[in-house]
Amino acid sequence: ARCPLPSDRIADALWDLVWRGRITNDTYAVLRKGIEAGFKAAPPPEAEANRGSIRGRSRSGFQRWKAARPLTGAWRMLETPEPAADALQREDLAKDRVRQLLKRYGILFRELLLQELPELQWASLFRSLRLLELSGEVLSGHFFDGIPGLQFLAPQAMRALQAPHPNPAIYWMAATDPASPCALGLEGLPYALPPRLASTHLVFHGAELTLISRRLGKDLTIRVPPRHTYLLGYLGPLRHLVDRAFMPVKSLEVETVNGEAVMGSPYLQDLLDAGFEQGFRNFALRKRY
């Protein structure tokens, strides 16, 4: 209300400050709205009308305008850290980055950090990893076959790996998730990994890759036989894609299973049990209301 700028310029300025690390919001809802709008503010409905849009002043135009504004939650400024003035401060900063990465991954190696920003990549942090190893805060060695070169492990991750897991959990992730092993170029895995695409999802049962969904469910690779005890659990993430509150898939349509047309697949009954509906050439999963 106090700023003389129009709301679209205010919204663009807010996102610019976010990317520069100057402000933050107290809810993820504003981030989800930003994703939906492409982090761009739509023009006001009256601006659309001025360009000749008959429906510029319609309710739908107002809703698009409102949805593109980062109005959810509360914004606050972040303290701007002073640049590291000497080598000791720069080293402390690098160690903090290592600790953050270990909290995220548990283990660090060169290939894993290729997806990170330059300040978080192997060459920038290797010296700090060695210093943390000398202090006993990090372990180094060869913990996993198929990962070339040196590996660093957090002590708590070592304890977790050594602990028994009698009841492995079923979990899933997008291929682009930071935890995803896709595109790391690792050797020795008992399965082939798909490309790192946002439309691809992986389902695991413990350490086993049990299902791969490509093209938002159009192509399924199921690595267990039909009527498997846990197969409905492996198909569960597909239901999440259509039922989630944020950007749901309108209709998830399976066209192939294990490279064959779905209509002749031995998994038809499993898909029906999972809530799929048979169509002309596919099986569709739709949002439940």
Side-chain angles (χ1 to χ4, degrees), residues 107-109 111 130 133 139-153 158 161 186-188:
I107 186 172
L108 298 179
F109 51 92
E111 289 73 16
R130 281 301 201 187
E133 179 191 2
L139 306 175
S140 71
H142 189 78
F143 305 105
F144 290 94
D145 291 334
I147 298 176
L150 195 60
Q151 304 161 31
F152 292 91
L153 198 66
M158 173 64 82
L161 289 172
L186 301 179
E187 299 178 359

Side-chain angles (χ1 to χ4, degrees), residues 68-142:
R69 267 65 182 161
L71 303 176
T72 307
W75 292 98
R76 63 180 177 88
M77 294 181 63
L78 292 171
E79 294 184 8
T80 304
E82 296 291 334
D86 55 35
L88 184 59
Q89 289 179 322
R90 290 193 293 271
E91 185 57 48
D92 286 341
L93 179 59
K95 288 180 179 179
D96 285 340
R97 289 168 174 166
V98 168
R99 294 182 183 106
Q100 189 63 40
L101 288 171
L102 285 171
K103 287 180 181 179
R104 181 188 300 174
Y105 296 119
I107 186 172
L108 298 179
F109 51 92
R110 184 189 300 273
E111 289 73 16
L112 183 66
L113 301 183
L114 289 176
Q115 310 290 339
E116 298 291 345
L117 296 171
E119 295 84 356
L120 302 178
Q121 291 185 2
W122 187 258
S124 300
L125 299 179
F126 183 77
R127 182 177 184 276
S128 301
L129 281 163
R130 281 301 201 187
L131 291 174
L132 290 171
E133 179 191 2
L134 290 173
S135 68
E137 193 172 342
V138 174
L139 306 175
S140 71
H142 189 78

Side-chain angles (χ1 to χ4, degrees), residues 172 201 216-217 235-254 274-276 283-289:
W172 66 282
H201 297 82
L216 292 177
L235 292 168
L238 302 179
R239 166 60 67 184
H240 172 78
L241 293 176
V242 297
D243 282 349
R244 64 190 181 190
F246 176 63
M247 296 180 68
V249 178
K250 292 182 179 179
S251 176
L252 191 149
E253 300 175 352
V254 178
F276 283 81
F283 270 60
L285 193 63
R286 295 181 174 86
K287 185 177 181 65
R288 294 179 292 200
Y289 293 96

